[in-house]
Amino acid sequence: MADTAPPMEPPKLAHTPRARLDATLLRILGLAFTVFIIAYIAIPVVVTLVMSFNEASVIRFPIKAWSFAWYQDFFASPQWVDALKSSVIIALGTTVISTVSGVLAAWAFERFTFPLKSVVYLVIMLPLFMPGVVLGLGVAMAFGNVSIFGYDIYGTRGLVMLAHSLWAMPLVFMLMEATFRTVDHRIVEASYDLGGRPVQTFFEIVLPSVSTGIISSALFAFVISLNEFVMALFLTTRDTQTLPVLMWLSLRSAGTPRLAVASVVLAGAVFVSLALIMVWYVRQLKKT
């Protein structure tokens, strides 16, 4: 009778002192890096928030008196309120333009094949990597003397929306292209077999299945446009200037705590947008 060798046991990891030391060192480095990133992000936000309650007429430390006076001053100023209104309107318009165009372009790239597809992809993504000063100056020179039905489009909010979409649309396209890859195309084909038209299938089958990606992309586009400064500096006038542009112009003349209030308003809009993304994402996870 032949001897049978005992079954070999899988090798065990050697928990040597050196391995334990390396693991501890990695945990310490990871924790230190996390704390550094959180502090790097939080400190400017906290300092700005604190300075917005400074009663003094200039930005300075230490704060001798606390007050809501600069918040009242901000929301009582027609110039600052109009700038905030312009920023929100432009951001909403940019969101609509970039979301619609980005979603449709991403679906076309995922679903269809057409000539020069790689070249078109490069053209769509190129503005995302271009400096804002180049895009802003280029749009200003291209449309500076253009008028539609007798109205000059330079300095209008619509032109700024289109310019901001040069950054926002590629981001929406990139996010939605990855999202559309998760769609089960067998469901789409089944809809076609049952008599569903392509447009009907897209709106009733495809879009509901990628609603989380669409909402996230739209909110990211909104935040990008709301905080954009360089292109708006080239393309806005006194009547249409955005809040970041007015902040920069005010900083050149006098650095009052009103700037801190404006920064808190912009930061608050960003935090609200991120919170909406998280809430929507968690709700969608609970449904699955």
Side-chain angles (χ1 to χ4, degrees):
M1 183 175 180
D3 296 334
T4 57
M8 297 180 62
E9 296 182 358
K12 296 182 179 180
L13 295 177
H15 296 286
T16 62
R18 176 62 182 273
R20 290 195 295 269
L21 178 61
D22 290 345
T24 302
L25 182 60
L26 286 175
R27 285 196 296 268
I28 294 175
L29 290 177
L31 180 61
F33 181 75
T34 303
V35 171
F36 171 77
I37 293 298
I38 294 175
Y40 182 77
I41 297 174
I43 288 176
V45 176
V46 172
V47 170
T48 303
L49 178 62
V50 170
M51 285 304 305
S52 67
F53 297 102
N54 188 4
E55 191 180 36
S57 58
V58 294
I59 298 177
R60 65 183 178 186
F61 278 107
I63 297 177
K64 298 181 179 179
W66 302 82
S67 174
F68 287 94
W70 287 108
Y71 281 90
Q72 297 173 356
D73 177 83
F74 178 89
F75 289 104
S77 171
Q79 184 181 19
W80 287 88
V81 172
D82 289 344
L84 176 60
K85 185 186 302 182
S86 291
S87 292
V88 173
I89 293 174
I90 291 172
L92 290 174
T94 301
T95 301
V96 173
I97 295 171
S98 58
T99 302
V100 172
S101 57
V103 169
L104 294 178
W107 178 246
F109 268 78
E110 176 62 22
R111 186 68 181 170
F112 306 108
T113 300
F114 48 88
L116 301 178
K117 188 174 182 179
S118 58
V119 176
V120 177
Y121 185 91
L122 178 62
V123 171
I124 291 176
M125 296 300 297
L126 185 61
L128 190 61
F129 303 97
M130 296 291 289
V133 63
V134 175
L135 294 176
L137 185 59
V139 172
M141 291 189 297
F143 297 95
N145 296 320
V146 176
S147 60
I148 299 178
F149 301 112
Y151 293 95
D152 295 335
I153 66 171
Y154 178 79
T156 62
R157 292 169 177 166
L159 183 61
V160 184
M161 294 176 190
L162 293 175
H164 285 181
S165 297
L166 293 175
W167 270 353
M169 184 271 186
L171 179 61
V172 173
F173 170 79
M174 183 171 57
L175 294 175
M176 291 307 304
E177 188 185 26
T179 303
F180 280 133
R181 290 175 183 171
T182 64
V183 175
D184 189 353
H185 289 281
R186 292 175 298 181
I187 300 178
V188 178
E189 297 299 335
S191 175
Y192 292 159
D193 294 339
L194 294 174
R197 297 184 301 275
V199 174
Q200 181 185 11
T201 300
F202 179 74
F203 282 100
E204 296 183 5
I205 303 297
V206 177
L207 288 187
S209 65
V210 295
S211 58
T212 301
I214 295 175
I215 296 298
S216 301
S217 301
L219 289 175
F220 279 125
F222 178 82
V223 170
I224 287 176
S225 177
L226 188 68
N227 296 326
E228 202 284 323
F229 161 69
V230 178
M231 285 189 283
L233 181 63
F234 282 96
L235 300 174
T236 57
T237 62
R238 182 177 179 84
D239 296 329
T240 59
Q241 62 187 1
T242 61
L243 188 57
V245 172
L246 181 58
M247 290 171 63
W248 182 78
L249 295 175
S250 300
L251 182 61
R252 297 179 61 188
S253 58
T256 64
R258 188 191 295 115
L259 295 173
V261 174
S263 300
V264 170
V265 171
L266 287 177
V270 173
F271 288 138
V272 170
S273 299
L274 294 177
L276 290 175
I277 293 174
M278 294 302 299
V279 170
W280 182 271
Y281 182 71
V282 170
R283 291 183 61 184
Q284 294 302 114
L285 286 179
K286 291 181 178 179
K287 292 179 181 180
T288 58

